[in-house]
Amino acid sequence: MTTTTTTAGGVKVIKPTVASYIHDYWGRVRGGDLGALPAILGLIVLSLIFGIARDTFFSGLNFANLFNQSAQVVFIAMGLIFVLLLGEIDLSAGFASGVCGAVVAILLTNHGWEWYTAIPAALVTGVVIGFILGLLVAKLGIPSFVVTLAAFLAFQGVLLVLLGGGTNISTRNEFFNSLNNNNLSVAWSWIFAVVAVVGYAAAQFNVMRNRTRRGLVTDPMGIVLMRIGGLAVLILVATAVLTQERAINPAINSLKGVPIVVPIIGFFLVLWTFVLGRTAYGRHVYAVGGNTEAARRAGIPVDRIRISVFVIGSFMAAIGGIMAVSRASSVDPNTGGSNILLYSVGAAVIGGTSLFGGKGKIINAVIGGAVIAVIDNGMTLMGFNSGTKFIVTGLILLVAASVDALARRRAAATGNR
């Protein structure tokens, strides 16, 4: 059931009821448009399992650690989403983050640079890496799998060369090391929480107003208020937990407040969500990922779009590398290696981004990164070894990819693709 209203300008606007909205949403789900729903349900189930198995899982200290531990994976996954939206892949993102992390550590420690010059230098390194990869893929036509696999191998060597054959370089810059270790004050934590809720509410109402002005269908007010209320409860409860004392010995070192890395993640979540959802560039990315030839015939500069997504991917990998070095207060030959790339790709796919291109949102990286972090953290608390954790994570990634493939098949069969 829907209702029709007329604006002051004489524009008729169709407003669905809450019941019709839910019915339409369920129809999209049955048609294969699952989005991040499986990942959200999986995150809830996994959290309950680990919380029941280990009381410490839901402690404030462990909750805060989840953000710091997953930061590198989440940032790299954000960049990979742009690449995956085009149906491409970047296998070099992990070690690219390591190279950029090495650059910032070397400049800070060996050359005495300040953080405000060393960090931009590392980010520029990431942009240059992405530009070269994008050129090779877009202009020479080399498959991204081959280009980034070669870069994956090469960047391991570059990292070893930068570190003088395998030395560990420590960072002693207090501000830099605080980025992925320290917390906001209690007051600033609550300010951040309130700003986040108010900002989200303003964005939701702004979308409704713009769609109404154009005579487009808007979501029911009840649904919008439920979204705002749900996010408000989530953010305020999380802030309440994180602003409690969580240090074992507060007299020596007090631990209160939201981790500094959280607003940084929030900033890039809002930025890239806006870019993909509210700009012509974002529409072009989805168009190229959905049908490259059709996008080319529509006048979209396909090659430039291809280059740009690799630039964004490596730029975000650089931020991931910076956060990894900040977290460890050092860089070594394994920074960005090991399972970082696999976890980052897994985070994007588990969160709901399609490996086939054309479907995905930045929030998928955050949700998928949370799933990966919960699995790794929860199984560690339960005493499982690394082999078991890899097996479980691999199975969950396989399930996520299978769900995506089946959803696309169902969507094609029902004509919703």
Side-chain angles (χ1 to χ4, degrees):
M1 180 179 177
T2 59
T3 58
T4 304
T5 61
T6 304
T7 64
V11 178
K12 290 186 177 181
V13 181
I14 299 176
K15 293 186 176 181
T17 63
V18 173
S20 65
Y21 177 90
I22 295 174
H23 181 269
D24 291 344
Y25 177 77
W26 179 243
R28 292 197 301 272
V29 170
R30 293 182 62 186
D33 185 9
L34 300 178
L37 181 60
I40 294 173
L41 295 176
L43 181 61
I44 294 172
V45 171
L46 288 168
S47 298
L48 290 174
I49 292 173
F50 292 133
I52 293 172
R54 288 289 184 273
D55 294 339
T56 53
F57 180 80
F58 283 125
S59 67
L61 181 61
N62 191 59
F63 185 40
N65 284 337
L66 285 173
F67 291 105
N68 298 119
Q69 291 169 1
S70 65
Q72 183 183 17
V73 168
V74 169
F75 283 120
I76 296 176
M78 283 184 181
L80 285 174
I81 284 176
F82 281 86
V83 178
L84 293 173
L85 282 173
L86 264 60
E88 305 286 357
I89 190 65
D90 185 356
L91 300 177
S92 68
F95 276 111
S97 75
V99 169
C100 295
V103 168
V104 73
I106 290 170
L107 293 177
L108 285 172
T109 302
N110 294 355
H111 298 281
W113 287 30
E114 294 294 335
W115 66 267
Y116 48 79
T117 51
I119 290 178
L123 297 179
V124 170
T125 302
V127 169
V128 171
I129 288 172
F131 184 72
I132 294 173
L133 295 177
L135 277 179
L136 294 174
V137 173
K139 296 302 184 181
L140 296 185
I142 307 173
S144 59
F145 179 88
V146 176
V147 171
T148 58
L149 178 60
F152 169 85
L153 298 172
F155 289 153
Q156 292 184 65
V158 171
L159 186 56
L160 286 171
V161 171
L162 288 175
L163 297 179
T167 59
N168 182 302
I169 298 178
S170 298
T171 55
R172 293 180 291 275
N173 185 285
E174 184 177 348
F175 176 84
F176 179 82
N177 291 341
S178 72
L179 292 176
N180 200 16
N181 286 294
N182 292 5
N183 309 294
L184 300 174
S185 67
V186 172
W188 277 109
S189 296
W190 282 110
I191 290 172
F192 170 71
V194 172
V195 169
V197 173
V198 172
Y200 180 75
Q204 289 290 305
F205 288 132
N206 185 57
V207 170
M208 285 188 66
R209 184 173 62 253
N210 289 339
R211 293 183 67 85
T212 300
R213 186 183 301 124
R214 298 173 185 175
L216 301 174
V217 176
T218 61
D219 292 339
M221 179 60 73
I223 295 295
V224 173
L225 292 177
M226 286 173 61
R227 288 180 189 151
I228 296 172
L231 183 68
V233 170
L234 182 65
I235 290 178
L236 296 178
V237 169
T239 303
V241 172
L242 292 171
T243 50
Q244 299 299 310
E245 183 61 67
R246 52 182 185 270
I248 298 175
N249 191 343
I252 298 177
N253 182 30
S254 179
L255 287 177
K256 291 182 181 179
V258 173
I260 292 174
V261 74
V262 173
I264 299 175
I265 291 174
F267 170 78
F268 283 103
L269 173 62
V270 172
L271 171 65
W272 295 130
T273 297
F274 176 81
V275 168
L276 282 179
R278 308 287 293 174
T279 66
Y281 171 78
R283 291 190 291 272
H284 289 172
V285 171
Y286 282 112
V288 174
N291 190 319
T292 303
E293 188 55 36
R296 193 188 308 276
R297 294 183 179 183
I300 295 175
V302 173
D303 286 352
R304 271 188 272 175
I305 295 295
R306 276 205 178 113
I307 294 172
S308 68
V309 297
F310 281 97
V311 169
I312 293 173
S314 295
F315 173 81
M316 293 306 296
I319 295 177
I322 290 169
M323 289 302 162
V325 175
S326 173
R327 174 67 173 168
S329 299
S330 65
V331 63
D332 59 64
N334 197 43
T335 302
S338 186
N339 52 15
I340 293 299
L341 172 66
L342 301 180
Y343 276 5
S344 300
V345 174
V349 175
I350 290 171
T353 301
S354 175
L355 286 168
F356 303 98
K359 189 183 78 171
K361 297 179 179 179
I362 299 301
I363 189 64
N364 298 152
V366 178
I367 297 173
V371 173
I372 294 289
V374 164
I375 293 171
D376 186 68
N377 181 272
M379 296 189 74
T380 298
L381 291 176
M382 293 179 67
F384 289 101
N385 57 34
S386 297
T388 304
K389 288 190 289 185
F390 288 153
I391 292 171
V392 172
T393 306
L395 289 175
I396 291 177
L397 176 57
L398 181 61
V399 169
S402 300
V403 168
D404 176 40
L406 292 174
R408 290 179 65 87
R409 182 182 298 178
R410 184 173 181 82
T414 57
N416 293 328
R417 185 176 180 179

